[in-house]
Amino acid sequence: MYLKNHGISNIAIDDAFTSSKAFFQLDAYTKQKYQMDAKKEYFGYVQPNQQQLDSNGAYECRESFDFLLNLKQKLRDGNPDVANFYISLEKLANDCVPLIKTLFKILTKSLELTDQEAILKTTTCISDHTVPSMSAFRTLYYPSVQNIQHGTIRLAPHSDYGTITLLFQDHIGGLEIQTRNKKWIPVKPVRDTILVNTGNLLYLMSGGRYMATVHRVLMKVPEGEILPPRQSMAFFVIPDNDAIVTPLIDSSNFLLNTQKMTALEHVKRLVDKSYKY
């Protein structure tokens, strides 16, 4: 879903894109000082193919930097290489919060829930960053490629793990989503809009009413030409770690694993499968 008039300034978005690009253009040695060790925490720089979403082992050509909302202090302290990078990303993440709250209210009404803050109450972390959560802001960089090798992709088909994802794209295309009838359609960049993807936890919490958006990023370029670099940024909105994943509406006809789990258990299980150590 494209959103216009979302209340987030183009200046904040452009600043975050610019500072992100500056980070990704640093030398490999500097970036690796901040490399994520997913065995310990989900924070830091992810080099190409370190996160592998393709079950067949295709090489995934992208870089990213993730920070959990309650770990942003780590970027604030003593890291001159990422000082401006952090400031611009923190501002954009904070600017997203009113929009997220509005979207949660709309979802609550669409599900006809009596408690109009039912979804928001599961995700207090977006307002209080001391609340442990896997909610994360990720900035991504897909390097320029020439002579694409067989089996190389930018982003394998997958759905996001949380409730919703706010996605910011640059002007380079390649993103596609899968419809309910399994057809892939392009999601072209539209200036002044934000994309909203629905995730796995919203599918569960809505009793199957909202399907998780399956998406991918392809490498499409005529033979002999260079595929230009691409940037995007994503705010993955995920409930508080201790929130129990359960349908918020009558789900008598909805097949759900009877074993109760927290949002942390659900997301950690999926994330741990995707990272190479």
Side-chain angles (χ1 to χ4, degrees):
M1 176 176 68
Y2 291 99
L3 285 183
K4 286 183 69 72
N5 303 319
H6 43 67
I8 302 174
S9 76
N10 285 334
I11 293 175
I13 296 170
D14 291 343
D15 284 350
F17 271 127
T18 299
S19 62
S20 294
K21 186 175 183 179
F23 173 80
F24 289 118
Q25 290 180 334
L26 293 171
D27 61 90
Y29 173 78
T30 300
K31 289 186 288 189
Q32 286 170 359
K33 291 193 297 183
Y34 306 98
Q35 187 161 351
M36 179 188 294
D37 182 353
K39 287 184 178 180
K40 297 179 179 178
E41 60 188 12
Y42 307 110
F43 172 94
Y45 170 68
V46 179
Q47 65 184 13
N49 210 44
Q50 184 180 348
Q51 186 187 30
Q52 202 168 60
L53 299 170
D54 184 77
S55 59
N56 296 318
Y59 184 89
E60 302 197 34
C61 188
R62 68 179 179 279
E63 303 173 64
S64 64
F65 196 107
D66 292 30
F67 66 84
L68 301 185
L69 299 183
N70 61 330
L71 289 177
K72 291 188 296 182
Q73 183 68 33
K74 292 189 66 170
L75 279 176
R76 189 181 285 128
D77 296 336
N79 294 314
D81 301 314
V82 295
N84 292 332
F85 177 54
Y86 162 72
I87 292 169
S88 62
L89 292 184
E90 181 186 41
K91 174 171 174 45
L92 182 56
N94 288 334
D95 288 352
C96 289
V97 172
L99 175 60
I100 293 168
K101 290 181 177 180
T102 298
L103 291 172
F104 277 173
K105 289 180 180 179
I106 293 171
L107 287 169
T108 301
K109 288 183 178 180
S110 73
L111 294 173
E112 300 178 332
L113 300 178
T114 302
D115 184 353
Q116 294 299 301
E117 295 191 346
I119 299 177
L120 184 59
K121 286 178 179 177
T122 68
T123 317
T124 62
C125 58
I126 61 171
S127 297
D128 182 356
H129 296 167
T130 66
V131 176
S133 167
M134 294 290 283
S135 285
F137 197 93
R138 173 181 297 170
T139 181
L140 301 104
Y141 184 77
Y142 302 85
S144 177
V145 178
Q146 188 174 21
N147 300 323
I148 300 170
Q149 300 296 314
H150 178 71
T152 299
I153 56 178
R154 279 189 155 171
L155 182 66
H158 70 288
S159 56
D160 296 334
Y161 308 144
T163 48
I164 60 173
T165 301
L166 302 185
L167 180 66
F168 304 84
Q169 296 191 87
D170 67 6
H171 65 283
I172 303 298
L175 177 65
E176 294 186 344
I177 62 170
Q178 190 177 57
T179 64
R180 287 179 181 244
N181 61 6
K182 306 301 182 181
K183 180 181 178 182
W184 288 100
I185 58 174
V187 183
K188 297 180 179 179
V190 177
R191 179 67 178 174
D192 301 331
T193 66
I194 297 173
L195 281 170
V196 180
N197 284 341
T198 48
N200 298 342
L201 286 183
L202 184 60
Y203 171 73
L204 297 175
M205 293 166 67
S206 68
R209 185 175 299 184
Y210 287 104
M211 300 295 293
T213 306
V214 179
H215 54 287
R216 66 185 183 184
V217 179
L218 294 184
M219 287 182 160
K220 289 184 177 181
V221 62
E223 186 175 353
E225 294 188 15
I226 297 175
L227 184 68
R230 178 181 185 270
Q231 283 184 265
S232 64
M233 298 178 293
F235 194 146
F236 299 104
V237 184
I238 298 172
D240 304 340
N241 281 352
D242 60 359
I244 301 298
V245 177
T246 185
L248 297 174
I249 61 175
D250 179 9
S251 57
S252 55
N253 296 321
F254 179 65
L255 297 177
L256 180 66
N257 190 329
T258 55
Q259 179 184 2
K260 287 188 177 182
M261 67 176 70
T262 64
L264 174 63
E265 292 168 334
H266 169 81
V267 175
K268 193 175 186 302
R269 173 175 55 87
L270 296 172
V271 171
D272 286 348
K273 286 181 180 180
S274 70
Y275 278 95
K276 296 169 67 175
Y277 301 109

